[in-house]
Structures are given as structure tokens and as C-alpha cells.
Amino acid sequence: MTVLPADKPLVLGNHTLTSRLIVGTGKYSTLELMQQCLEASGSEVITVAVRRERLLDASGRNILDYIDLKKYTILPNTAGCFNVEDAVRVARLGREILRGLENPGADWVKLEVLADTRTLLPDPVATVEGCRELVADGFQVLCYTSDDPITARRLKQAGATSVMPAGSPIGSGQGILNPNNIRICLEYLKENDPDYPVIVDAGVGTASDVAFAMELGCDGVLLNTAIASAKDPLRMSVAMKSACEAGRHALLAGRIPKKLYATASSPTEGVITRALG
Amino acid sequence: MVPSMQIRVNGESRLVPEHWSVSDLLADLRIESRYCAVERNRRVIPREQHAACGLVADDEIEVVTLVGGG
């Protein structure tokens, strides 16, 4: 069997990863199914949210009983925050939990500062401000943002460990709606800094979206709903793993340029027929 | 001890005895402290300080854990 030279790892701050797929833990019908899907995705990093303890039902099952904390690095998010103050509070609470659990994820956060509940689009101004505050507080900040290249550049300038543009709105499954913006984000963020990590976060609907993101030159993909809400989540997590690897291979291999007209794959000499036109 | 001091826990009013600590409150709520983080008046109280951190009337306490998310 031919062995390809090993790909370089994905480096996110002081986290070095082999898998370029990061998956969420939300929306699964059962915690057992979530566990199987995490395993099948091959991901090393999984995202979680921070929420109030249910005081009446505190004896209920905790997701942490279903996550191998020695195997996975937890990436806590600030989902549900609509202002900088709340995002910073939630980030600190997440850090406190992970510190107690001695998980390496205690030093980073996926920053989301959302603008409204209908679109779940990020508030770019608040995200930049939140990033700056969390960086000053010692966090490595992975910033969920829109696909706007200027905001992406501002976030990098604010000290973001990674900029994570959305392909399309969270959970919408529309894939990458504006690949040109993602291309410009990549160009801006990787200028004189080719290893700066850019991750497509949100909007993925199916495996081809993941492959496309990787082919564009993104360093990784973060997704949740596309697996958790698929008809067969387990099979979809296998598909996402393959797509992420396929897209990465295609990027490294270098695709052929697109041409308007055909180029024959078979020799044009020695044919026994006469060509038309 | 008679619960006589009003605080808020996760947005709900609650009467607790005076001189209770954060640890006392978590024990009373039967919360697995390994899986939670506590904020008092918008500041995280590190778990090593739960036992020493005394509650005061009108404290706003948040007790959070991790849940599934993307």
C-alpha cells in the first residue's frame, strides 16, 4: 500500500490536533448516541455549552458522565450570550469547571456574541470587544464570526487564536453560501502567516459542505446539527470524518484549474473515427 | 439553623440560614460540585474557596454546569 507523507497537525494555540473536525454535543436524542457519534467522527475536540444547574432535578444525568475527559479536549462555548459582559462571565464559568476536571480545554473558549435570536448572527463589534477582553484574561479565543473578511481581520488583530467564519447561519444547513468571502478571509488571515488557523463554524448541512470548506483552504470545520439532526447521525458522523479528510487531501493535492472547454483524457491520436466540428 | 436570609440562586429566591457557605448551599441542593462552577454577584468563586466563602443577604448566586452545545 502506498503511504502518503503525514499531514501537518492543526495547531490551535497550544493545542495540537490530528483531526481537523470539531464536533458539538448538542441536540442528540440520547447521550449514548452522542457518545457513539463523537467516537465515529474521529474528533479530538468537542464543544459544550454552559448552563444553569437544574435545581429541582439535580440528580439527573450529566453529559460529563458520557464524555471521556482523558480522550477529548473540551471547547466550551458562550452560546446564548448577547453582550460582552455575559460572554466573559460564561467563558470564566466554563474555565472554572474544566479547571476542576483537569481537562486541557480550561485554557480556551469558543466566543459567540450573538446579535439576535432569529438569525443567530454574530454581533461583530461585541465579538471583537469580547475577544480582546478574554485574551487579556489569559484565554485562547476561538471566535465565531460571520464571513466578513474585515471583521475576520479585526478579530485576528484583537488576538484571536483562530477566526471561525460561518458558512451560513447556525443550524441552517445551507452550507457555504459565499465561498468568495471565505477565500478573502483566508487570504487576509493567512497573509505572511500561512499557518494561522481558520475554521468554518456553522451552517454545514452535509458532507460535501465539509469537503468544500477544506478544499477552499480552511484548516478545519466545526459542526453539530448536521450530524445530530441527520436521519442517521452515526452514519453522518462517519461521512463528515471522511469528507474532512477528503477535502484536506484534495487541497494538498492541488486541484486542476477549471476550463471552459473539454480536454480529452484518452489519446487524440490513433482514433479510427473522424471528429466532428 | 432557621433559614432566615434571602438570596437568589439561579434566578429564584431562596431562604437560607445565616453564615452558610457556598459549600453548604451546594450540599443542600445536592449538586455534584465536581461538575459545577459557582458565581457570586457575577464573580466566579473558585472551588477551593467554596467552603470559606460565606453567603450574605441578597447574594445573587449562579450554579452552572456543562450541557450539550455546538
Side-chain angles (χ1 to χ4, degrees):
Chain A
M1 209 180 95
T2 313
V3 179
L4 290 170
D7 190 3
K8 56 184 176 186
L10 170 57
V11 180
L12 297 173
N14 56 14
H15 299 269
T16 301
L17 313 168
T18 307
S19 168
R20 292 172 176 271
L21 188 64
I22 298 176
V23 292
T25 54
K27 293 188 178 175
Y28 282 97
S29 54
T30 67
L31 289 167
E32 288 79 6
L33 179 61
M34 175 201 77
Q35 212 171 30
Q36 291 171 0
C37 290
L38 297 182
E39 171 84 40
S41 73
S43 301
E44 296 154 81
V45 176
I46 57 175
T47 62
V48 296
V50 175
R51 290 292 179 271
R52 282 175 165 167
E53 281 273 14
R54 289 167 305 173
L55 301 180
L56 293 173
D57 183 23
S59 57
R61 303 191 301 173
N62 190 298
I63 194 171
L64 290 166
D65 289 323
Y66 291 80
I67 293 172
D68 183 347
L69 293 165
K70 294 273 172 284
K71 177 176 170 181
Y72 296 108
T73 298
I74 311 286
L75 174 59
N77 69 28
T78 63
C81 291
F82 292 86
N83 60 62
V84 175
E85 192 198 346
D86 286 346
V88 170
R89 285 172 66 200
V90 167
R92 287 177 178 155
L93 286 164
R95 173 167 69 183
E96 166 67 6
I97 297 173
L98 292 175
R99 196 178 57 83
L101 295 169
E102 295 179 351
N103 188 271
D107 64 1
W108 66 0
V109 65
K110 172 183 155 178
L111 176 64
E112 286 182 40
V113 190
L114 305 178
D116 70 57
T117 50
R118 179 146 58 126
T119 63
L120 297 181
L121 285 172
D123 178 331
V125 177
T127 305
V128 172
E129 202 183 314
C131 176
R132 212 173 277 135
E133 266 193 48
L134 289 168
V135 168
D137 195 21
F139 282 92
Q140 300 181 87
V141 186
L142 283 60
C143 290
Y144 164 70
T145 181
S146 72
D147 61 9
D148 172 48
I150 309 304
T151 308
R153 192 158 60 180
R154 291 279 191 192
L155 288 169
K156 186 181 176 188
Q157 287 164 351
T161 294
S162 173
V163 173
M164 306 201 294
S168 52
I170 294 175
S172 72
Q174 297 184 67
I176 296 176
L177 287 180
N178 192 343
N180 287 340
N181 264 20
I182 301 287
R183 286 187 182 101
I184 299 172
C185 284
L186 288 163
E187 213 176 285
Y188 276 10
L189 296 169
K190 289 177 176 288
E191 202 171 17
N192 303 319
D193 189 7
D195 290 333
Y196 186 82
V198 181
I199 294 171
V200 161
D201 175 6
V204 164
T206 188
S208 53
D209 299 334
V210 173
F212 186 40
M214 298 307 290
E215 287 170 19
L216 285 172
C218 295
D219 299 274
V221 175
L222 193 163
L223 62 92
N224 183 355
T225 308
I227 292 178
S229 299
K231 215 178 282 173
D232 180 349
L234 187 55
R235 191 173 287 276
M236 189 56 95
S237 43
V238 173
M240 294 305 191
K241 177 178 193 275
S242 304
C244 190
E245 290 168 359
R248 177 71 184 170
H249 279 307
L251 174 81
L252 296 176
R255 60 154 300 147
I256 59 161
K258 290 183 184 181
K259 287 180 290 192
L260 186 56
Y261 292 108
T263 312
S265 307
S266 308
T268 47
E269 285 166 22
V271 289
I272 60 167
T273 56
R274 234 187 313 162
L276 287 173
Chain B
M1 272 202 290
V2 190
S4 56
M5 184 170 72
Q6 182 151 315
I7 61 170
R8 285 180 81 79
V9 183
N10 289 1
E12 290 170 23
S13 293
R14 218 175 180 93
L15 281 176
V16 298
E18 282 180 41
H19 311 300
W20 257 22
S21 67
V22 168
S23 296
D24 294 326
L25 178 68
L26 293 180
D28 186 58
L29 294 169
R30 275 182 240 121
I31 284 171
E32 166 84 82
S33 67
R34 202 162 63 92
Y35 286 169
C36 81
V38 178
E39 200 187 51
R40 176 175 173 237
N41 303 327
R42 302 187 162 227
R43 275 177 181 266
V44 173
I45 307 296
R47 61 192 62 238
E48 312 81 63
Q49 295 171 23
H50 285 183
C53 181
L55 300 174
V56 176
D58 299 324
D59 269 351
E60 301 261 355
I61 306 292
E62 291 287 346
V63 187
V64 300
T65 188
L66 299 179
V67 300

